[in-house]
């Protein structure tokens, strides 16, 4: 088996999931310069809502991708409502507050959602029911599963869709205008509140899809699953250059691949001195390295401060 | 191309062939200046002519793409802004940049930082040397506030001061660094005639105390009345330089900038 | 002046009486909680130097707590067979943590706010991953049987008795922590009102203006990182001795975030506010504990897991407070110095008294 190719494939799949979540961070940050700390928790809610639906259907004996699709279709509006609610309750009142206040309320939302999820779904790891046959395909000494292919396909389509919306529609134009300069955009007749809400809607919708896909791929869900995922996705967004859609994509994929290669090779490269446990160290070190040499990320615009 | 003529013995700041580009746009092109020691030197030009960019280069906020500049014979071309300040150029900003939540006197005391020494240990132990220095800083800062005319506002928070006082506070903070050259970016912006006249007297007083002034200003009357020499920038180039009376009558200047305003 | 002395004496009496009263009214576990609250207060004051004074958003602060704790745990436990005394380990903890602070701070100096946050978070995680995986730190199992803190012949872990009161270790630790907290408060206060402290504030307020006023921002930021980290290291040393057992799980990013919440919720840059934030957040989850009894009494059954419910209430409180008071519960008063203009004589004597 070709370990290298296998790790790259696994890395790309994991990375595309990061990228999907990173989009939510990058879009929100692009417009209101807020690290939406609770975004990872929205993904978690998506995964658990999806799980509940899929479980019901699996109990009735339904199987196949249709079940997953219905899970996604229920998760999307749930997460959108959640995202909208978070923005309205925890962020909008703080838009003019000192910079760290919204960050703290975001942390509050994040903890609250975790605890609510624990109250609703319990604290144990929940297993996604087996509803897919998940055949495997062999390419050049490595294996790629149907689920992996579908994840790559769906994230690709969603990234492209997001790009089209942001670049080619009136809504997207208004988003970009608000990101450039909210007060001027407001003067030009853009309803900035609506635009910010739409951004949260889009991000949360993507998070819902990401959540169900993560659950399907790894087979488990839990109220704490969003935290690390969110952190990694945010790292990916920063790595790629926060505010940049393609940056989120690139950052996500890069992070996924590096992590998986690290897990695959660290141990053998260092004769076991540094085990695969250190793959996260590798990911963070890469991030730090990139930021030191390119402080605005790989694809970020160099923002020179106005003097 | 007009180049400033100078005799290097009396020049405080000499800039040679400064160039700065943003993307493809040339913001400054081959700008050479020589500012005589002890003078008030005016820098004028239409909006977007590159005046503030030149300031930012001379104070180390931007790095020049071309050219060199020196203060008192010492090259500053590759210095950071804090080093440049330490070596003797202090500045104010077009959009006032004070430490908004600190009091007026604290703002000025921050300006004293480069001329004082006490460190963390001194502060924690409240060493006698630290306390003497602290007291000297307070005294000096209060003197400077009095000098610019806002001594009575020493303990007010900077952002709550009236606009004109904020401008003066910025000048006091800059003076606190004991500069050889004080660079002022539109200090009279937003002031009425009386305030502008008071400012003019203040600048005269600063000059008399031995500090050279580099002044960007839109108020032509102020510049012409106050400055010993004037340089005119247009599209990033120096188009005229000399005594105010001569510059005022330079046809290129009239065409480019002064137009009907001076007549 | 006289009333000030009385006020001081009264506060001192209250501080001394606090653990006894707490024990009597709320029970012994609350005294332990008080000890933890003090540890958090020290941590929060350390982070306050970085975040509150210098305005650098650090999300990996717990790393320095870990450095101090592991230093003590390794050099004062059977794990490596060493039993160094506190008087050596406390300053060492401060120094080693400060070096880590400067070391980890150095590469981040050019970064802006949120980027700095994520990089510091990364550093925090890196240190935790190392703690989990190194042999010398005993991996995920952590280090056990750490020596209780001892000064001279006095062991803080042992039971003592005073005037018929039975005083377990948590009392001795309380008084030790109070003294060290007071020391840290004094240092924080003196720093904030000094040349360096003003330079930090200037950087926080406007970095470009600070540079143009001649401040070497790199140097000053490193000092802030090192100083804040030193406090973290001291707290870590105390924590390890107090707890007797540490593992990497005590130093997660959640802990960093909690400390940051204390600083911001209390009122960044304001010493009293930060202490209040720390004590409040350390105690709040515990204060919501009766919720389960309430459920039991009302419904005859505990419907909702009390631990989760408690954290949920905590989170909601955090959000509500931020919305109502985005500057923090107790922000520093705008007019910090009650000096009058041209009255610096009175001002200086007042300052000297502080």
């Amino acid at each position: 088996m070709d370990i290298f190719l296998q790790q790259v494939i696994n890395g790309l799949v994991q990375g595309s999931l990061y990228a999907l979540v990173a989009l939510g961070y990058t879009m929100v940050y692009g417009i209101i310069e807020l690290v939406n700390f609770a975004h990872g928790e929205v993904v978690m809610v998506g995964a658990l809502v999806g799980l509940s639906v899929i479980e019901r259907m699996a109990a009735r004996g339904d199987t196949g991708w249709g079940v997953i699709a219905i899970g996604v279709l229920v998760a999307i509006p749930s997460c959108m409502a959640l995202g909208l609610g978070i923005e309205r309750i925890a962020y909008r009142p703080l838009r003019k507050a000192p910079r760290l206040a919204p960050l703290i309320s975001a942390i509050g939302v994040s903890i609250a959602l975790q605890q609510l999820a624990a109250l609703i779904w319990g604290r144990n790891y929940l297993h996604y029911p087996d509803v897919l046959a998940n055949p495997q395909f062999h390419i050049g000494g490595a294996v790629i599963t149907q689920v992996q292919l579908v994840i790559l396909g769906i994230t690709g389509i969603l990234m492209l869709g997001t790009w089209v919306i942001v670049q080619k529609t009136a809504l997207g134009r208004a988003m970009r205008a608000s990101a450039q300069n909210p007060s001027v955009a407001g003067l030009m007749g853009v309803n900035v509140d609506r635009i910010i809400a739409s951004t949260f809607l889009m991000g949360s919708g993507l998070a819902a899809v990401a959540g169900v896909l993560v659950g399907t791929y790894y087979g488990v869900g839990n109220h704490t699953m969003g935290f690390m995922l969110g952190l990694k996705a945010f790292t990916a967004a920063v790595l790629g250059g926060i505010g940049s859609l393609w940056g989120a994509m690139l950052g996500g994929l890069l992070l996924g691949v590096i992590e998986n290669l690290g897990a695959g090779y660290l141990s053998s490269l260092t004769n076991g001195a540094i085990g695969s446990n250190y793959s996260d160290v590798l990911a963070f070190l890469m991030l730090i390295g990139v930021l030191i040499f390119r402080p605005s990320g790989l694809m970020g615009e160099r923002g020179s401060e106005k003097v | 191309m007009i180049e400033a003529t100078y005799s290097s013995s009396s020049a405080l700041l000499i800039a040679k062939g400064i160039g700065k580009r943003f993307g493809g746009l040339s913001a400054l092109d081959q700008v050479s200046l020589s500012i005589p020691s002890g003078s008030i030197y005016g820098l004028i030009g239409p909006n977007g002519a590159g005046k503030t960019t030149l300031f930012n280069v001379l104070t180390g906020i931007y790095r020049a793409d071309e050219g060199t500049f020196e203060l008192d014979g010492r090259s500053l071309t590759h210095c950071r802004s804090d080093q440049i300040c330490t070596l003797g150029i202090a500045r104010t900003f077009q959009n006032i940049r004070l430490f908004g939540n600190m009091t007026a006197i604290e703002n000025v005391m921050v300006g004293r930082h480069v001329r004082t020494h006490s460190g963390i240990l001194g502060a924690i132990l409240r060493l006698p040397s630290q306390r003497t220095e602290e007291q000297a800083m307070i005294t000096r800062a209060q003197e400077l506030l009095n000098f610019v005319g806002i001594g009575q506002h020493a303990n007010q928070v900077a952002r709550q001061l009236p606009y004109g006082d904020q401008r003066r506070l910025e000048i006091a903070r800059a003076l606190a660094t004991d500069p050889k050259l004080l660079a002022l970016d539109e200090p009279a912006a937003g002031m009425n005639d009386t305030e502008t006249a008071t400012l003019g007297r203040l600048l005269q007083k600063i000059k008399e105390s031995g500090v050279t002034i580099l002044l960007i200003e839109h108020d032509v009357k102020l510049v012409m009345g106050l400055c010993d020499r004037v340089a005119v920038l247009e599209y990033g180039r120096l188009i005229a330089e000399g005594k105010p009376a001569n510059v005022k009558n330079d046809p290129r200047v009239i065409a480019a900038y002064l137009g009907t305003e001076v007549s | 002046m006289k009333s000030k002395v009385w006020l001081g004496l009264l506060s001192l009496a209250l501080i001394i009486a606090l653990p006894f009263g707490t024990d009597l009214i709320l029970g012994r576990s609350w005294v332990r909680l008080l000890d933890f609250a003090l540890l958090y207060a020290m941590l929060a004051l350390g982070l306050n130097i970085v975040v509150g004074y210098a305005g650098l958003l650090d999300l990996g602060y717990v790393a320095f707590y870990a450095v101090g704790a592991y230093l003590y745990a390794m050099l004062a436990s059977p794990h490596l067979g060493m039993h160094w005394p506190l008087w050596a380990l406390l300053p060492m903890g401060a120094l080693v943590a400060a070096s880590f602070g400067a070391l980890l701070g150095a590469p981040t100096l050019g970064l802006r706010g949120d980027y700095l946050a994520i990089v510091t978070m990364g550093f925090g995680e890196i240190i935790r991953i190392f703690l989990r995986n190194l042999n010398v730190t005993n991996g995920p199992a952590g280090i056990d049987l750490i020596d209780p803190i001892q000064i001279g012949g006095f062991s803080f872990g042992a039971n003592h008795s005073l005037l018929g009161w039975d005083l377990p270790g948590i009392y001795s630790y309380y008084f030790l922590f109070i003294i060290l907290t007071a020391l840290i408060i004094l240092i924080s206060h003196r720093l904030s009102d000094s040349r360096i402290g003003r330079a930090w504030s200037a950087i926080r307020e406007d970095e470009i203006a600070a540079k143009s006023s001649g401040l070497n921002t790199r140097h000053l930021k490193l000092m802030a990182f090192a100083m804040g980290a030193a406090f973290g290291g001291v707290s870590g040393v105390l924590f390890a001795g107090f707890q007797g057992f540490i593992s990497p799980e005590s130093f997660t990013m959640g802990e960093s975030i909690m400390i940051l919440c204390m600083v911001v919720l209390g009122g960044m840059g304001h010493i009293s506010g930060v202490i209040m934030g720390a004590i409040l957040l350390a105690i709040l989850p515990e204060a919501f504990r009766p919720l389960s009894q309430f459920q039991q009494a009302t419904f005859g059954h505990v419907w909702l897991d009390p631990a989760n419910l408690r954290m949920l209430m905590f989170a909601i409180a955090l959000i509500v407070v931020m919305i109502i008071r985005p500057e923090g519960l107790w922000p520093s008063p705008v007019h910090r110095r009650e000096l009058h203009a041209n009255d610096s004589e009175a001002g200086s004597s007042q300052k000297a008294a502080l």
Side-chain angles (χ1 to χ4, degrees), chain B residues 106 119-120 180:
Chain B
E106 282 172 329
I120 284 192
K180 293 174 185 158

Side-chain angles (χ1 to χ4, degrees), chain A residues 25-189:
Chain A
Y25 281 108
T26 222
M27 289 197 302
V28 167
Y29 191 92
I31 292 193
I32 51 176
E33 297 215 336
L34 165 78
V35 180
N36 179 11
F37 223 87
H39 191 60
E41 268 58 49
V42 177
V43 179
M44 174 269 293
V45 169
L48 293 180
V49 167
L51 179 127
S52 297
V53 173
I54 293 167
E55 226 168 24
R56 278 301 139 74
M57 296 184 66
R60 284 191 350 208
D62 295 333
T63 54
W65 280 103
V67 178
I68 306 288
I70 292 176
V72 170
L73 288 179
V74 177
I76 288 177
S78 317
C79 287
M80 282 182 160
L82 184 63
L84 219 52
I86 294 173
E87 194 273 328
R88 192 73 192 76
I89 294 169
Y91 301 154
R92 194 178 296 183
L94 289 171
R95 221 171 275 158
K96 294 211 163 60
R99 220 173 47 83
L100 284 182
L103 184 72
I104 301 295
S105 78
I107 290 169
V109 170
S110 165
I111 301 174
L113 286 179
Q114 275 187 34
Q115 302 306 326
L116 268 177
L119 290 173
I120 297 171
W121 284 284
R123 292 211 262 193
N124 298 325
Y125 275 89
L126 302 173
H127 288 270
Y128 259 65
D130 267 329
V131 292
L132 299 172
N134 200 15
Q136 301 183 334
F137 308 95
H138 293 266
I139 40 166
V143 173
I144 186 163
T145 65
Q146 194 186 46
V147 171
Q148 288 182 318
L149 279 173
V150 170
I151 288 176
L152 287 176
I154 290 182
T155 48
I157 292 167
L158 288 177
M159 295 286 313
L160 208 64
T162 309
W163 181 79
V164 168
I165 290 178
V166 171
Q167 292 298 326
K168 307 280 176 198
T169 65
L171 174 68
R173 244 192 324 278
M175 278 180 173
R176 280 178 290 138
S178 309
Q180 285 275 324
N181 191 331
S183 49
V184 171
L187 288 176
M188 307 294 279

Side-chain angles (χ1 to χ4, degrees), chain A residues 29 33 35 37 89-90 93-94 97-101 103-105 107-109 111-116 118-119 123 223 227-228 231 234-235 238 241-242 277-278 280-281 284-285 287-288 291-292 295-297 303 305-307, chain C residues 51 55 57 59 107-108 110-116 118-119 121-123 125-126 128-130 133-134 206 208 253-254 257-258 260-261 264-265 268 304-309 311-312 314-316 318-319 322-324 326-327:
Chain A
Y29 191 92
E33 297 215 336
V35 180
F37 223 87
I89 294 169
L94 289 171
R99 220 173 47 83
L100 284 182
L103 184 72
I104 301 295
S105 78
I107 290 169
V109 170
I111 301 174
L113 286 179
Q114 275 187 34
Q115 302 306 326
L116 268 177
L119 290 173
R123 292 211 262 193
H223 70 284
F227 187 74
M228 209 50 192
L231 180 63
F234 181 62
T235 304
V238 173
I242 200 149
N277 312 333
Y278 289 95
D280 279 350
V281 172
F284 283 123
L285 280 181
L287 172 80
I288 290 162
L291 285 185
I292 289 167
S296 45
E305 198 160 347
K306 252 184 120 157
V307 181
Chain C
V51 180
L57 182 50
L59 280 182
T108 69
L111 299 176
R112 281 187 295 130
D114 302 286
Y115 288 84
L116 176 68
I118 187 102
V119 169
M121 193 146 86
F123 276 134
E125 280 300 279
I126 288 174
R128 192 175 64 91
I129 294 168
F130 272 102
N133 292 294
L134 291 174
D206 188 332
I208 287 189
M253 194 190 316
I257 289 172
M258 190 59 83
L260 180 70
C261 288
V264 178
L265 185 89
M268 274 199 298
L304 297 169
D305 185 325
N308 293 130
L309 198 59
M311 280 310 283
L312 180 63
F314 169 80
I316 291 172
L318 212 56
I319 300 167
M322 277 297 108
I323 290 172
I324 300 172
E327 307 263 353

Side-chain angles (χ1 to χ4, degrees), chain C residues 44-45 48-49 51-53 185 188-189 192 204 262-278 325 327-336:
Chain C
L45 284 170
N48 183 46
I49 303 256
V51 180
Y53 289 180
I185 292 172
S188 290
H189 179 81
S192 82
R204 181 194 65 214
M262 292 169 174
V263 174
V264 178
L265 185 89
M268 274 199 298
H270 188 220
I271 296 174
S272 320
V274 169
I275 295 170
M276 191 181 81
R325 294 192 67 112
E327 307 263 353
L329 286 170
W330 193 358
S332 57
V334 179
H335 296 272
R336 269 179 297 175

Side-chain angles (χ1 to χ4, degrees), chain B residues 59 61 80-83 85-86 89-91 93 96-103 105-106 109-120 123-126 130-131 133-135 137-138 142 146 151-157 159-160 173 177, chain C residues 186-218 220 223-224 227 231 333-345 347-349 351-354:
Chain B
T59 53
I61 289 173
R80 295 191 311 266
S81 36
D82 57 293
Q83 294 169 323
C85 179
T86 312
I89 302 182
R91 71 170 291 175
F93 295 86
I96 305 171
R97 298 186 85 127
L98 288 166
F99 309 125
N101 288 311
M102 299 168 76
T103 60
I105 196 164
E106 282 172 329
M109 287 166 83
V110 170
R112 286 306 291 162
H113 189 94
V114 281
R115 305 294 168 220
T116 45
H117 309 283
S118 55
I120 284 192
I124 293 175
L125 302 175
R126 287 266 151 110
Q130 187 263 352
R131 286 165 62 176
E133 186 180 275
E134 185 83 3
Q135 204 48 56
M137 275 168 100
I138 293 174
Q142 184 65 52
N146 295 342
Q152 72 280 20
H153 299 312
N155 295 294
Q156 265 188 41
V157 173
R159 68 180 149 76
Q160 290 174 346
R173 181 180 70 190
T177 66
Chain C
L186 183 75
I187 293 174
S188 290
H189 179 81
R190 287 187 164 183
L191 279 177
S192 82
D193 192 20
S194 76
R195 172 172 173 268
I196 302 294
R198 274 190 302 274
W200 284 336
S201 306
I203 293 173
R204 181 194 65 214
E205 294 285 318
D206 188 332
E207 190 165 344
I208 287 189
K211 281 181 184 164
S212 296
S213 302
L215 304 192
N216 184 338
T217 50
R218 298 173 154 264
L220 285 159
M223 277 203 247
M227 198 64 218
F231 288 177
V334 179
H335 296 272
R336 269 179 297 175
R337 279 200 212 148
E338 297 298 325
L339 281 171
H340 293 288
N342 307 322
D343 197 19
S344 55
E345 268 311 300
S348 64
S349 68
K351 277 166 64 182
L354 285 167

